[in-house]
Amino acid sequence: MTTTGEAHTEAPPPGAGPWWWGRVRSAVLDVSLAVVSVLECGIEGVRFAGDAGIPGAAGVVFGVLAGSVLVLRRRWPIAVVLVSIAVMPAQMGFLMGIVGLYTLAASELPRRIIASLAGMSFVGMLIVTFVWVRQGVSSGELTFGDWVVPLASLTTALGVTAPPLLLGLYVGARRRLMESLRERADSLERELQLLAERAEERAEWARNEERTRIAREMHDVVAHRVSLMVVHAAALQAVARKDPEKVVRNAALVGDMGRQALTELREMLGVLRSGHAYADRSRGAVVPLAAVGAAAAAVADREKGLGEDGAGEGPCLSELDELIGQSAAAGMVVDLSVEGESRPYAPEVEQTAFRVVQEALTNVHKHAAGAKTHVRLAHRVSEIAMQVENEPPPEVSSASSARLPSGGNGLVGMKERVVGLGGVFVSGPTDAGGFRVSAVIPAA
């Protein structure tokens, strides 16, 4: 939509109407008005020819040509109004003048042009009516007094000029308002569509994040216990005939770890299969992966300390001794050193620190079985630091036959946990041929 005062020509849709008309209905209306105007001007042309002393046919042709201009009112409304003013002294083209003023006022032309042409039409009609009424009074055809002449002229000029002008201004303002509302509605629709697309992108991102978190939690629950089970099973094969008592102890430990792993897996799979974790797909609802991820995290945190009510508080740094004891029982030589004064941290900080040490020890079991490992924990003023470094594995190891598989997600999961809390995570081989995992987590 253009602002008031600017020329504006709407481009009709292709094939909607002939020539400059936007619709066939508009073309039919304009042609019909032009036909009526031609008939009016043609009839009035006969009287004009008699008054002017020219052949009647010439007057009719003049009237027909003048009246046919009305068909151009949508294309050139200024030309229609000027022609109506030009033929006004011949007392013809009254319909053309009324329709032309209406079309001019309803157009997007500048207001100064509309006012100028409307003023010219008013003055022309006033003069023509004054002359016609005065001639009638002078010839005796009209029995009114001379005082009626200016009143009749002014009333006629206003009656012919003001109504079409005001109606055109109203219709034009209403059209511009409707166009403005339509454009605003289109803009709001585009904004809503853009918001819906962004919401869908955020929802997809959230679903991907929850899938990653579920996979990470399941990995933390299963990987450590199953890795120790495989290491113990390999050790059983090596000492099956040499130390029967150790075989019995290791077999019992493997059974306990297997039962715990199965219990935790059963709980997570139960959450994934339950109706509360998923919405009704028949209703088109979205699967709330956040609930599944939260349940998986809760199961992952139940590594130790289950009470009679079955509730656990999740892993914490105070359980590092027991975690290292499990690795030592599997044949790993682990050295734990703690620097600084131990203090309580936020649950997510302690759980992340515990998981980093746990996963690092699991990787030693997988890739450097039998290697001596050093676990260092440092309590600092505003952060907690941990480092797990293993020496090169021995060439011959009884546990080397365990052949633990690796999914390649352990280091990725540790880094995601640490970075998610605003910390720093670094891992890589050492110059001596071992491997080092370091992490620093803000205490706040």
Side-chain angles (χ1 to χ4, degrees):
M1 186 189 73
T2 58
T3 57
T4 303
E6 295 182 1
H8 173 72
T9 302
E10 295 184 357
W19 294 337
W20 57 83
W21 288 287
R23 294 176 296 181
V24 176
R25 184 176 63 181
S26 301
V28 173
L29 176 62
D30 289 355
V31 171
S32 302
L33 290 174
V35 170
V36 176
S37 178
V38 166
L39 293 176
E40 177 203 352
C41 294
I43 295 173
E44 293 171 347
V46 176
R47 184 180 58 182
F48 169 71
D51 295 339
I54 61 175
V60 172
V61 172
F62 175 74
V64 169
L65 292 177
S68 62
V69 177
L70 187 58
V71 77
L72 306 175
R73 70 182 187 96
R74 297 180 190 267
R75 185 72 171 181
W76 295 294
I78 297 178
V80 175
V81 175
L82 290 176
V83 171
S84 68
I85 296 174
V87 300
M88 198 175 294
Q91 297 182 4
M92 66 174 61
F94 295 103
L95 176 63
M96 180 170 56
I98 294 173
V99 177
L101 279 177
Y102 163 79
T103 306
L104 179 70
S107 67
E108 299 290 339
L109 291 171
R111 293 295 176 86
R112 61 181 183 275
I113 296 179
I114 297 175
S116 300
L117 292 176
M120 293 171 59
S121 180
F122 173 78
V123 172
M125 181 59 65
L126 181 64
I127 295 174
V128 170
T129 306
F130 182 86
V131 173
W132 180 76
V133 175
R134 185 61 180 268
Q135 289 176 353
V137 171
S138 299
S139 63
E141 295 180 0
L142 299 176
T143 59
F144 304 111
D146 292 341
W147 61 271
V148 179
V149 175
L151 179 62
S153 302
L154 182 61
T155 304
T156 303
L158 286 175
V160 174
T161 306
L165 182 65
L166 296 177
L167 181 61
L169 291 174
Y170 166 76
V171 172
R174 184 176 180 275
R175 182 186 300 127
R176 287 188 290 271
L177 177 61
M178 295 302 295
E179 290 178 357
S180 175
L181 293 177
R182 188 179 300 110
E183 289 183 357
R184 185 175 301 178
D186 294 340
S187 177
L188 290 176
E189 184 178 358
R190 289 192 295 269
E191 290 179 3
L192 289 176
Q193 184 177 2
L194 181 61
L195 290 176
E197 292 176 355
R198 291 180 178 176
E200 181 62 26
E201 291 177 358
R202 288 194 296 267
E204 182 63 25
W205 176 82
R207 285 193 290 268
N208 292 334
E209 288 294 317
E210 288 301 328
R211 292 190 185 101
T212 303
R213 191 161 73 97
I214 292 172
R216 185 169 60 241
E217 299 296 347
M218 294 184 68
H219 177 273
D220 290 338
V221 168
V222 178
H224 183 70
R225 295 191 186 280
V226 174
S227 298
L228 292 179
M229 290 170 58
V230 175
V231 171
H232 280 291
L236 287 176
Q237 295 177 358
V239 300
R241 298 181 181 179
K242 300 179 181 178
D243 192 349
E245 294 182 359
K246 187 175 181 180
V247 170
V248 173
R249 290 195 303 271
N250 288 351
L253 184 58
V254 170
D256 292 339
M257 290 182 178
R259 282 188 291 270
Q260 291 175 3
L262 288 175
T263 300
E264 292 165 351
L265 278 176
R266 188 180 299 113
E267 291 179 5
M268 279 189 295
L269 293 176
V271 171
L272 292 172
R273 292 177 178 176
S274 66
H276 298 287
Y278 290 87
D280 189 356
R281 293 180 180 270
S282 63
R283 299 180 182 177
V286 180
V287 178
L289 288 175
V292 181
V299 173
D301 291 339
R302 292 180 54 196
E303 290 281 338
K304 304 295 291 180
L306 292 176
E308 294 180 357
D309 57 353
E313 298 181 355
C316 57
L317 294 177
S318 62
E319 300 174 2
L320 280 180
D321 292 333
E322 188 170 355
L323 176 67
I324 293 175
Q326 293 177 356
S327 297
M332 180 187 296
V333 180
V334 189
D335 178 23
L336 174 63
S337 62
V338 180
E339 300 177 4
E341 183 179 355
S342 178
R343 63 182 187 274
Y345 298 94
E348 59 269 16
V349 173
E350 293 208 15
Q351 293 173 12
T352 300
F354 182 90
R355 293 299 186 196
V356 169
V357 177
Q358 181 189 55
E359 182 60 29
L361 292 177
T362 302
N363 288 341
V364 175
H365 284 294
K366 290 180 180 180
H367 307 292
K372 185 176 181 179
T373 305
H374 304 275
V375 179
R376 300 180 181 88
L377 187 66
H379 300 277
R380 300 171 183 171
V381 176
S382 60
E383 61 189 15
I384 179 174
M386 64 224 66
Q387 183 183 87
V388 179
E389 180 180 352
N390 63 275
E391 299 177 357
E395 296 181 358
V396 179
S397 175
S398 60
S400 61
S401 60
R403 297 180 181 178
L404 288 167
S406 176
N409 297 317
L411 294 176
V412 175
M414 285 190 284
K415 184 175 182 180
E416 289 176 350
R417 285 180 177 274
V418 173
V419 174
L421 294 178
V424 179
F425 179 85
V426 179
S427 63
T430 62
D431 296 336
F435 199 85
R436 180 188 299 118
V437 173
S438 303
V440 179
I441 305 174

